[in-house]
């Protein structure tokens, strides 16, 4: 591993003198991530979420018939708790709106009032494909192309080891962009735009054919003394190619829909901060309520976010 800065030496010596486990010191970067993943999957957690979503339209052309006013940057914040990686509840806030998302053993529900829940295909449908539960590292497990030791630092008197995960577009990008496409299509209230075009039965098929993973990486910060994950930061870039979309729907239909040409890039940065302890967490499985209101904000859920 890289040499630690001299300012860390007293802290590291203190850890050694106290008989703290040395497994983290000898572990490879990949093993550090593996330990953190196991801990997040198997331990009750309280966590907070913060993220920024920006839309880059600089590569778009012929936008006269396309409404760019909705493509404004926005921020998402939230707080949640997880009984395990498969049972989590999180409340997200954005633009004056809130939405509660519950994941429970492979199923997911969403509520705009915190009381009445509608079932959805996946909790990630609400967040454009980004996981907002303690199982965030599981999302990247099969799509990692490399893990790098980035050294250590001291935060609030605690030594944290920092590792960087490179994502492989061929293994991570495909499944992720499919989830993103589903979320994007779910947030589109009228995919036909009133033009009467004959689109596929699922608008997500059109979006999926025009969406690709452009760039991304993950930063993981773990406690040096026990390998517990403290913070996970993701930075993902997704491209929506309107030229590909036009090929999917046909030139005439693309014209009627007012689609531009070129690509739109959605940049999503998300930070999850974890706090173990505070007693065991129990997440209840919601009941589906037919009267549950739609959780869409007035902007229609830009970039897959339905809050």
């Amino acid at each position: 591993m890289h040499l630690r800065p001299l300012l860390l030496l007293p802290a590291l010596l203190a850890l050694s003198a106290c008989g703290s486990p040395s497994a983290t010191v000898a572990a490879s970067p990949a093993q550090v991530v593996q330990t953190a993943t196991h801990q997040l999957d198997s331990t009750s957690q309280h966590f907070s979420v913060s993220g920024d979503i920006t839309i880059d339209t600089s590569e778009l052309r012929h936008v006269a018939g396309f409404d760019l006013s909705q493509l404004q940057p926005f921020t998402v914040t939230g707080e949640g708790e997880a009984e395990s990686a498969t049972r989590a509840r999180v409340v997200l806030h954005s633009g004056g709106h809130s939405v509660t998302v519950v994941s429970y053993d492979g199923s997911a529900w969403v509520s705009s009032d915190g009381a009445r829940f509608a079932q959805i295909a996946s909790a990630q449908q609400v967040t454009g494909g980004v996981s907002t539960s303690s199982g965030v590292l599981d999302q990247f497990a099969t799509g990692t192309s490399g893990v790098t030791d980035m050294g250590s630092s001291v935060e609030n008197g605690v030594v944290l080891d920092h590792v960087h995960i490179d994502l492989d577009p061929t293994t991570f990008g495909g499944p992720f962009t499919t989830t993103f496409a589903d979320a994007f299509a779910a947030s589109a209230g009228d995919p036909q735009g009133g033009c009467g075009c004959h689109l596929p039965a699922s608008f997500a098929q059109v979006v999926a054919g025009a969406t690709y993973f452009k760039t991304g990486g993950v930063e993981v910060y773990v406690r040096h003394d026990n390998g517990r994950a403290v913070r996970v930061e993701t930075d993902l870039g997704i491209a929506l190619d309107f030229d590909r979309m036009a090929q999917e729907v046909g030139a005439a239909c693309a014209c009627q829909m007012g689609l531009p040409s070129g690509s739109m890039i959605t940049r999503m940065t998300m930070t999850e901060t974890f706090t173990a302890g505070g007693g065991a967490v129990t997440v209840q499985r919601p009941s589906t309520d037919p009267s549950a209101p739609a959780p869409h904000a007035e902007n229609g859920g830009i970039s897959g976010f339905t809050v």
Side-chain angles (χ1 to χ4, degrees):
M1 299 176 74
H2 298 311
L3 292 175
R4 304 293 191 243
L6 289 179
L7 62 89
L8 292 179
L9 187 57
L12 294 179
L13 289 175
L15 287 173
S16 176
C18 293
S20 298
S22 59
T24 305
V25 177
S28 69
Q31 289 171 328
V32 170
V33 174
Q34 186 178 34
T35 299
T37 302
H38 175 73
Q39 173 258 318
L40 290 176
D41 287 352
S42 59
T43 308
S44 296
Q45 302 283 337
H46 295 271
F47 58 92
S48 62
V49 179
S50 62
D52 293 296
I53 294 83
T54 58
I55 315 294
D56 181 359
T57 61
S58 62
E59 298 182 17
L60 291 181
R61 304 178 302 278
H62 307 109
V63 296
F66 190 68
D67 185 7
L68 297 178
S69 63
Q70 298 183 19
L71 307 180
Q72 301 298 320
F74 63 97
T75 296
V76 174
T77 60
E79 54 283 330
E81 56 183 7
E83 181 179 345
S84 65
T86 59
R87 296 183 181 182
R89 179 186 180 100
V90 61
V91 181
L92 301 172
H93 314 278
S94 181
H97 298 266
S98 297
V99 63
T100 301
V101 186
V102 175
S103 302
Y104 195 95
D105 293 353
S107 298
W109 291 262
V110 64
S111 172
S112 60
D113 60 11
R116 294 170 293 173
F117 285 84
Q119 192 161 8
I120 54 178
S122 167
Q124 295 177 27
Q125 178 179 314
V126 180
T127 52
V130 179
S131 175
T132 51
S133 76
S134 63
V136 59
L137 289 177
D138 290 322
Q139 182 177 19
F140 311 111
T142 60
T144 301
S145 62
V147 185
T148 306
D149 170 33
M150 302 300 292
S152 298
S153 60
V154 177
E155 295 185 15
N156 299 318
V158 177
V159 180
L160 298 184
D161 293 330
H162 173 198
V163 295
H164 170 80
I165 300 175
D166 286 319
L167 298 176
D168 181 357
T170 60
T171 55
F172 171 74
F176 179 82
T177 53
T178 298
T179 304
F180 178 88
D182 289 341
F184 189 96
S187 69
D190 181 13
Q192 297 190 38
C195 70
C197 297
H198 298 289
L199 298 179
S202 172
F203 184 58
Q205 295 176 9
V206 176
V207 180
T211 306
Y212 62 94
F213 180 70
K214 189 174 180 68
T215 185
V218 183
E219 312 301 325
V220 184
Y221 296 84
V222 303
R223 289 182 60 114
H224 182 83
D225 57 353
N226 58 22
R228 283 187 174 275
V230 171
R231 189 169 66 252
V232 177
E233 302 172 355
T234 60
D235 187 348
L236 306 173
I238 309 298
L240 181 60
D241 190 329
F242 285 97
D243 295 325
R244 294 187 187 182
M245 186 177 290
Q247 293 176 359
E248 293 279 341
V249 302
C253 187
C255 181
Q256 291 181 59
M257 293 175 68
L259 295 181
S261 57
S263 296
M264 180 178 75
I265 313 300
T266 300
R267 185 73 174 267
M268 297 182 285
T269 60
M270 188 74 66
T271 298
E272 292 187 48
T273 304
F274 299 94
T275 304
V281 173
T282 300
V283 175
Q284 301 292 336
R285 178 189 178 101
S287 298
T288 302
D289 189 337
S291 67
H296 296 269
E298 295 174 358
N299 64 11
I302 299 301
S303 302
F305 283 76
T306 59
V307 297

